[in-house]
Amino acid sequence: MSRSVDDPVDETTLVIPCFNEVERLHRSDIAALVANPRMRLLLVNDGSTDATLTLLHDLAKEHAGVEVLDLVTNRGKAEAVRVGMQQAAARGSAVVGYCDADMATPVGELLRLDDLLQHNPSLDVLLATRVALLGHQVDRSIARHYFGRLFATASSAVLHIRVYDTQCGAKFFRSTAALRSAISEPFNSRWAFDVELLGRLLAGGRGQEPINPGSILEVPLKVWTDVAGSKLTPMASLRAGADLFVIWRALERWRTSR
Ligand SMILES: Nc1nc2c(ncn2[C@@H]2O[C@H](COP(=O)(O)OP(=O)(O)O)[C@@H](O)[C@H]2O)c(=O)[nH]1
Ligand SMILES: [Mg+2]
């Protein structure tokens, strides 16, 4: 029987955007993720110029739970994630998530987060959060940590909620009408789309009620590793800051749209 949007099954699709990730995407991580029968992966090739697409097709051949979406030209992480989430929601997955190809948030933590959302019907959104607590292994550079604090403060002002970490690569969403509406149009922000996505959900608009801020949970990660080879340049970090202003204006329009 084919699955429809109105008949979500107890399944999670994790979208992994991949731009020239042949060195950082590991077969063992993919195998460990799909070893969980609930977990499906949608690997999105974002116009890579290395052998990423071949690797993704190989992985799809090896594992029934892996699919590939090939964007022939590079569209940027925001759009790669958005179209991946659209495809995942359309196939009827109950939960749709995304994470970075470098697996900075390790497999065990991804599965723990997904489990938490699947088993807590009162939650709609789960954000992996990097907090350096005792007994937790969260290794970030000092510069990135402090930039992150500034960014989170500004994001909180834009979103009108107190959020600690919007920029960790791992997030899970219950596949609701509100989510499908929030991903129905390209984001205005290329560098801070996570904030814009949360903002759209919290704003309502487009015939949707705003989601309850209490249905969003930040979960401190026990392990997070700063994997080398980040493609986010210092300039991109600055642009992400500037994007918050773009998002603030775009959310005003979104909120009042029919
Ligand atoms: N920078 C960048 N990343 C992209 C793009 N398209 C998809 N991605 C993916 O987005 C993720 C970004 O992770 P990473 O480079 O580790 O960034 P960071 O950890 O946030 O500094 C990776 O999975 C990339 O492959 C793109 O156009 N630019
Ligand atoms: Mg990274």
Side-chain angles (χ1 to χ4, degrees):
M1 208 172 71
S2 69
R3 289 168 182 147
S4 82
V5 170
D6 301 319
D7 177 30
V9 292
D10 187 29
E11 170 187 282
T12 295
T13 297
L14 185 62
V15 174
I16 308 184
C18 301
F19 175 54
N20 293 344
E21 292 291 4
V22 79
E23 299 290 335
R24 299 198 307 168
L25 185 69
H26 299 300
R27 287 168 183 273
S28 54
D29 288 329
I30 299 301
L33 279 166
V34 290
N36 184 314
R38 184 172 67 222
M39 187 63 81
R40 298 190 63 91
L41 299 181
L42 181 57
L43 308 177
V44 184
N45 176 47
D46 188 20
S48 298
T49 50
D50 66 1
T52 295
L53 184 59
T54 309
L55 171 62
L56 302 192
H57 281 313
D58 285 352
L59 288 164
K61 268 186 225 142
E62 279 165 36
H63 305 283
V66 175
E67 276 177 57
V68 177
L69 173 60
D70 181 24
L71 305 179
V72 179
T73 50
N74 176 257
R75 299 205 211 165
K77 180 181 175 185
E79 189 59 4
V81 167
R82 190 186 72 86
V83 294
M85 290 178 83
Q86 274 188 323
Q87 181 165 318
R91 74 184 301 283
S93 289
V95 169
V96 177
Y98 59 86
C99 73
D100 290 344
D102 61 3
M103 294 289 157
T105 304
V107 172
E109 288 291 74
L110 292 168
L111 294 173
R112 178 168 75 89
L113 264 59
D114 173 49
D115 208 54
L116 202 60
L117 186 54
Q118 288 276 8
H119 290 102
N120 286 280
S122 62
L123 296 176
D124 283 325
V125 180
L126 215 141
L127 311 178
T129 306
R130 297 161 295 181
V131 193
L133 300 169
L134 274 179
H136 292 220
Q137 249 177 275
V138 176
D139 302 319
R140 294 183 80 190
S141 78
I142 293 284
R144 274 198 163 209
H145 169 76
Y146 282 111
F147 180 78
R149 299 318 317 127
L150 278 176
F151 191 84
T153 305
S155 300
S156 298
V158 169
L159 294 173
H160 305 294
I161 54 167
R162 216 171 35 201
V163 54
Y164 187 87
D165 186 5
T166 55
Q167 298 316 101
C168 182
K171 296 184 172 60
F172 291 87
F173 301 81
R174 197 172 304 288
S175 180
T176 57
L179 179 72
R180 290 192 289 277
S181 168
I183 57 176
S184 63
E185 281 177 30
F187 297 110
N188 294 279
S189 159
R190 186 182 170 105
W191 308 101
F193 77 94
D194 311 65
V195 177
E196 191 168 7
L197 174 53
L198 288 175
R200 286 181 179 182
L201 289 168
L202 288 162
R206 313 272 147 125
Q208 301 297 322
E209 289 297 314
I211 70 161
N212 174 5
S215 72
I216 306 176
L217 184 70
E218 289 195 281
V219 180
L221 292 173
K222 291 178 187 154
V223 184
W224 185 86
T225 320
D226 200 353
V227 180
S230 162
K231 300 189 182 71
L232 196 76
T233 58
M235 183 50 98
S237 305
L238 290 178
R239 286 198 186 128
D243 267 11
L244 289 179
F245 182 66
V246 173
I247 293 170
W248 174 66
R249 281 199 321 200
L251 288 179
E252 289 302 311
R253 293 194 298 275
W254 189 271
R255 195 172 285 120
T256 51
S257 62
R258 294 271 138 222

